[in-house]
Amino acid sequence: MTRGARTSDERALRRGASRYVGASGGGRAAASRMPNSRAVAGGVAGLARNFVNQGPAEALRRFNLEGMAGAPAEDVFVALTDMLCPAGGTIDEAIARDAMLETVADLAAAGVGNFDELSADDLREFFIGVVSRSIEGKILNEVGTNAIAAPSDIGGVERAQAMLHDFVEGCVRDEFDVLGTDLSDLDATAIDSFVDDLYSAALDLVEALGDDG
């Protein structure tokens, strides 16, 4: 990870991520170390499912946020972040919160409008973003906190983070497609197992692809 961060060597960064998963005992074991992140992702998946099937206000009702249905999507997701993962708590809770807020920032940068105008695709992208950012955050926290800051210029730090993010997000997106279902199709009782399977499979792919070459 240090070599990859210092030289913007994507293969070295990927190999570092791969070795983290391997040292954790594989994808399923690594995922088990992220209980709060998986719970938050499950909350987002449930929101997306209910949004499509029941409408925006009903989707927000379980979080007592139904009055925000017509508010800017960015504001709604910040409020949802405070409900799902309030500030403080354990490191894993902080990783889950950061993943939500970073994905909210991505959403805002994309110029998405009000919450009730979101599409199923927008919600799927938000979910994938939360899963990806939480895995990326876990890897950085466990093995890369010092290494990722190794470049002397901020541009080097940003390049290293962007390369790791793109790699992890690609793995999450590939495994989401492999699972062959959309969030709106999920039975409410199947959401947790779907999320667990996605984390495990994505981390397995990080291990497999990261060690290629």
Side-chain angles (χ1 to χ4, degrees), residues 14 124-125 128 131-132 166-181 194 197-198 201-206 209:
R14 289 164 58 134
R124 182 177 63 251
E125 287 301 304
I128 289 172
V131 175
S132 303
D166 288 347
F167 172 52
V168 171
E169 185 183 57
C171 291
V172 172
R173 194 175 298 279
D174 285 350
E175 291 302 329
F176 183 92
D177 292 341
V178 167
L179 289 173
T181 185
F194 173 82
D197 289 345
L198 178 61
L203 284 158
D204 277 335
L205 193 59
V206 166
L209 294 184

Side-chain angles (χ1 to χ4, degrees), residues 144-156:
T145 302
N146 296 323
I148 208 71
S152 58
D153 64 293
I154 189 64

Side-chain angles (χ1 to χ4, degrees), residues 14-30:
R14 289 164 58 134
R15 194 172 300 116
S18 170
R19 290 179 181 174
Y20 161 71
V21 179
S24 299
R28 184 70 63 180

Side-chain angles (χ1 to χ4, degrees), residues 27-57:
R28 184 70 63 180
S32 73
R33 298 171 65 179
M34 303 178 65
N36 294 101
S37 294
R38 288 184 287 112
V40 168
V44 174
L47 175 78
R49 175 193 179 277
N50 293 338
F51 183 102
V52 174
N53 294 321
Q54 300 173 14

